Amino acid sequence: MLELIEGYYAHFFLMLLFVIGLYAMMMKKNLIKKIFGMSMIQSAAILFWILVAYKEGATVPILDPGISLENPDMYMNPMPHTLMLTAIVVAVVTLGVAIALAIAVYRNYNTLDEDELLARIKEEQ
Amino acid sequence: MITQNSPALIPVLYLAASMIIPMVGYFRPGASYAIALLTCVAVFGISLMGLQEVMANGAISYHLGGWMPPVGIEFVLDPLSAFICVIISACVLMVMIYARNNVRQELPGSSIGFYSLSMLFLGGLAGMAITGDFFNLFVFLEVAALAGYGLLAIGTRRGPVSAFRYLVLGTAGAIFYLVGVGFILMATGSLNMVDIGNILPHAEYQRPVIVGLVFILLGIVIKMGVFPLHHWLPDAYTDASSTATTLIAPIGTKVAAYVFIRILTVYEFPPLMDVLCWLAAASIIAGSILAIVQNNIKRMLAYSSVANIGYITLGIALANPMAFIGAMLHILMHALMKLVLFAAAGGMLNNMGTVNISRLRGFPTVMPWTALAFFIALLSMVGIPPTGGFFSKLYLIWGAIEADAWIFVFVIVFSSILGMVYLFRVMNIAFFRPYETADDKKITQSFALTVTSPIESIDESSKQFETMPRKEMGLLMLLPVLIVAVSIILVGIYNGPIVHEVISLAVPEFLKPAP
């Protein structure tokens, strides 16, 4: 069991973060807590991509006169990092839309609790 | 010149329009509709030209910023994506003509936001159809989804609640997709679809690829609204304004189905296909049964969307050319049918004040032309010749027989029978029960269709009923609905040329039998 985890601490940590986020999204009754969970799985996915780029003993992808160009293995892959800048922007926008919708829900029904919300919707019909 | 640049022009025109509309609309609110309509016409023209060019000379590839494909982002217009682009732009053109009066009536004050968001939504969908890069697809997926949340939230009081639910599930789907792409990047080091397809057979580790594929497909299945993950769909479609539903329902989930095809062209993993076949079958049956028990027409149509996306998934997952042709034809047919049905439901909501099925008595006498279009589309939904729905189901059944999957043949036929149930339920109430007053006193019935049968006439005289004069939708709203309804029959009659000249070019390589 321990051998499985050894050397993959980061992967297991991200898996845990992802599952906690999913749990919060599905099981929590408060809409804001759902948004927290959403943010957590987004962070987990972004960190996972950073992890994909990581190489043991490699350095930042800036040309270093000490390292010859014949050996690109000594540099990390910069592509996932740049792509994740875009993904962070997407995550922030999603967060903004989610909070805007939560505000709209609160204005219409005066509650953020899901059970109460469903009860009030039913009452209205 | 335009045709060679068409892969970039199609999404960029939509995205540019979504920026221009609020800027111009701030000074001249009336101009926002004109810009949206002009963009739709332009994009429709360009995608038709693109399709013609692609059919004659093969795929057009556009390299953004002049970077060559494995490094840079590639936009590809091949027969498959060109076909999807034509469907998107044609449907949207019709919806935009329909939208003018409806938006003014339903969403007073937020028409600029509506047009701007709808252009953003379409830019995202067109980008999803055209891009040849996995990460770029994620960005377009989120652009389309975020605009979709906004569109579904404006309208009714319950809109934001349903949109929030959709947002939570949709974001989960997008993140699953992103994680899956991460796994594929891990195994191949590339994001270009063609490049990955070439690298994968030689990749050192196959396991991360399969895990990634499962993640990606899970994300896409959430976006498609296939049965166990369909919960966001009926609420979102029911609570949105009818223009937004008419815009999103015909094309939103279909483009996700198209992404599904794109991913399978990269890598095929047979056990997963079996699982997807069964999921699709469950979706077909459950969607049809749930559609029967609904009382609200919009909700009934949303559940039948779940069933129909099941047909499309089944056609793709059966993985043979016949079933694939059936799936593509069904994407086209379902887009047309849902456009007519939701547009007609919007008209009912405006003119009769209800979309409740039990209150539809006399609906054909109040809105005869809308009723004609509505029932043509419903007949096509069940699959009655010569409407197009019959032929797409025929190809699907043919494909299932070719794959020796008799259980799925049974599922398709059984679901058609279930479809008959919900069709005739609506038809029965609308046409044949004009005078019953079971729960409500107000009857909507014009003088035009008073049948004088000797037995009923005695009964009628004693009853009190309010009559409702003929009140058809406005010409601008009626025209697109009728055009699409006629084209449903035309596509059915001319399905041969469409299949031979367009769709059979689009059948991906991996489905073709080895020579």
Side-chain angles (χ1 to χ4, degrees):
Chain A
M1 187 64 204
L2 274 177
E3 295 90 71
L4 187 72
I5 299 176
E6 207 175 348
Y8 295 100
Y9 298 119
H11 292 83
F12 275 87
F13 168 73
L14 291 181
M15 200 179 80
L16 198 67
L17 192 65
F18 197 89
V19 171
I20 293 173
L22 268 186
Y23 174 83
M25 277 168 77
M26 288 187 291
M27 308 305 273
K28 288 290 170 195
K29 294 294 176 201
N30 193 307
L31 296 191
I32 298 295
K33 284 182 183 165
K34 278 180 194 284
I35 294 176
F36 284 173
M38 212 174 75
S39 212
M40 276 168 86
I41 65 164
Q42 281 171 336
S43 311
I46 289 166
L47 287 173
F48 172 73
W49 272 67
I50 304 296
L51 198 62
V52 168
Y54 180 74
K55 265 185 241 165
E56 190 92 36
T59 179
V60 284
I62 296 168
L63 186 59
D64 186 345
I67 303 167
S68 70
L69 275 176
E70 279 99 60
N71 199 4
D73 277 356
M74 298 302 288
Y75 295 109
M76 266 191 244
N77 184 359
M79 189 183 67
H81 296 86
T82 47
L83 293 183
M84 279 312 106
L85 284 179
T86 316
I88 289 169
V89 173
V90 171
V92 170
V93 174
T94 316
L95 198 64
V97 174
I99 292 172
L101 285 180
I103 291 172
V105 170
Y106 189 78
R107 278 190 190 149
N108 282 357
Y109 289 100
N110 234 356
T111 179
L112 284 175
D113 187 87
E114 206 175 28
D115 290 336
E116 205 156 318
L117 196 62
L118 290 179
R120 283 183 197 184
I121 286 173
K122 205 169 242 175
E123 216 171 86
E124 214 173 53
Q125 278 172 345
Chain B
M1 178 65 194
I2 289 178
T3 44
Q4 283 312 310
N5 291 325
S6 58
L9 276 175
I10 292 170
V12 165
L13 271 179
Y14 280 136
L15 293 176
S18 84
M19 298 294 123
I20 293 170
I21 285 171
M23 284 192 257
V24 176
Y26 182 77
F27 300 104
R28 276 166 167 272
S32 56
Y33 174 75
I35 295 172
L37 189 67
L38 272 180
T39 315
C40 288
V41 173
V43 175
F44 180 56
I46 290 171
S47 32
L48 271 186
M49 282 159 76
L51 181 68
Q52 221 167 16
E53 172 75 16
V54 163
M55 275 161 56
N57 299 329
I60 307 169
S61 160
Y62 185 92
H63 309 141
L64 280 188
W67 294 92
M68 281 300 126
V71 179
I73 294 169
E74 186 190 16
F75 278 7
V76 192
L77 198 71
D78 57 3
L80 187 59
S81 57
F83 179 65
I84 297 287
C85 278
V86 170
I87 294 180
I88 293 176
S89 51
C91 282
V92 166
L93 181 58
M94 291 297 144
V95 175
M96 274 300 149
I97 297 171
Y98 169 86
R100 183 184 168 82
N101 293 334
N102 212 19
V103 167
R104 212 180 272 164
Q105 215 165 348
E106 273 188 313
L107 311 165
S110 47
S111 65
I112 297 168
F114 178 85
Y115 292 125
S116 173
L117 273 179
S118 59
M119 288 295 120
L120 194 63
F121 176 71
L122 295 168
L125 289 186
M128 274 161 84
I130 276 174
T131 186
D133 183 283
F134 271 125
F135 188 78
N136 199 237
L137 204 155
F138 166 74
V139 175
F140 277 124
L141 187 89
E142 280 289 46
V143 167
L146 286 166
Y149 307 141
L151 281 175
L152 292 170
I154 43 179
T156 59
R157 218 168 111 83
R158 285 181 58 185
V161 182
S162 314
F164 187 86
R165 281 189 177 169
Y166 176 26
L167 183 140
V168 169
L169 261 176
T171 308
I175 295 298
F176 275 124
Y177 176 85
L178 185 62
V179 170
V181 174
F183 274 106
I184 285 183
L185 176 73
M186 207 189 234
T188 62
S190 175
L191 286 171
N192 186 284
M193 289 182 190
V194 180
D195 198 33
I196 288 178
N198 293 336
I199 293 174
L200 271 181
H202 316 292
E204 203 176 333
Y205 302 105
Q206 291 290 322
R207 199 170 288 169
V209 178
I210 292 168
V211 173
L213 202 67
V214 171
F215 267 111
I216 289 180
L217 287 184
L218 189 60
I220 296 295
V221 160
I222 292 177
K223 289 275 177 196
M224 278 163 76
V226 174
F227 164 57
L229 301 165
H230 70 283
H231 269 281
W232 58 269
L233 197 144
D235 280 342
Y237 284 6
T238 315
D239 297 337
S241 67
S242 53
T243 322
T245 327
T246 317
L247 183 69
I248 292 174
I251 47 183
T253 50
K254 304 318 159 290
V255 175
Y258 161 83
V259 173
F260 178 40
I261 303 170
R262 265 290 129 117
I263 283 151
L264 295 180
T265 57
V266 172
Y267 190 79
E268 203 189 356
F269 185 57
L272 207 56
M273 303 297 261
D274 289 347
V275 173
L276 279 166
C277 275
W278 286 104
L279 262 180
S283 184
I284 292 172
I285 299 285
S288 301
I289 291 176
L290 286 168
I292 289 174
V293 298
Q294 300 307 323
N295 245 335
N296 183 323
I297 278 201
K298 273 175 141 185
R299 195 166 266 270
M300 183 190 96
L301 295 177
Y303 275 111
S304 94
S305 259
V306 174
N308 278 286
I309 205 77
Y311 288 123
I312 294 167
T313 318
L314 182 65
I316 300 163
L318 279 172
N320 64 46
M322 256 328 162
F324 181 81
I325 288 172
M328 294 311 290
L329 198 58
H330 204 75
I331 287 182
L332 169 64
M333 285 322 304
H334 187 230
L336 297 178
M337 291 179 314
K338 274 287 134 67
L339 205 165
V340 171
L341 292 172
F342 274 114
M348 276 178 221
L349 191 62
N350 281 344
N351 292 1
M352 301 181 53
T354 177
V355 282
N356 199 322
I357 292 179
S358 57
R359 286 166 158 266
L360 277 187
R361 289 170 197 133
F363 149 65
T365 58
V366 181
M367 308 163 73
W369 290 104
T370 315
L372 177 72
F374 188 77
F375 287 110
I376 288 175
L378 268 184
L379 288 176
S380 170
M381 187 84 92
V382 178
I384 289 170
T387 52
F390 170 74
F391 294 99
S392 59
K393 277 185 189 172
L394 192 67
Y395 280 108
L396 282 174
I397 291 176
W398 201 344
I401 292 173
E402 227 167 67
D404 272 335
W406 294 96
I407 181 88
F408 297 128
V409 177
F410 170 76
V411 164
I412 294 171
V413 174
F414 181 63
S415 147
S416 290
I417 297 168
L418 290 175
M420 206 95 78
V421 174
Y422 61 78
L423 158 72
F424 284 118
R425 185 161 156 251
V426 176
M427 222 175 212
N428 177 29
I429 291 173
F431 279 103
F432 301 116
R433 285 204 306 188
Y435 295 122
E436 274 182 35
T437 47
D439 51 320
D440 52 324
K441 286 282 173 283
K442 190 184 173 194
I443 302 168
T444 44
Q445 163 79 13
S446 81
F447 295 111
L449 199 103
T450 355
V451 189
T452 48
S453 86
I455 308 156
E456 279 185 10
S457 55
I458 310 157
D459 206 2
E460 270 166 37
S461 55
S462 60
K463 279 190 181 175
Q464 288 282 321
F465 49 90
E466 259 176 81
T467 53
M468 192 160 179
R470 177 174 293 202
K471 196 179 172 201
E472 188 54 87
M473 293 198 288
L475 189 66
L476 268 182
M477 281 166 81
L478 191 60
L479 199 64
V481 175
L482 283 179
I483 291 174
V484 178
V486 169
S487 66
I488 287 176
I489 295 178
L490 286 183
V491 170
I493 294 170
Y494 294 106
N495 74 86
I498 292 175
V499 167
H500 286 297
E501 278 166 31
V502 185
I503 301 179
S504 49
L505 287 177
V507 176
E509 281 302 316
F510 75 100
L511 288 178
K512 287 181 182 150

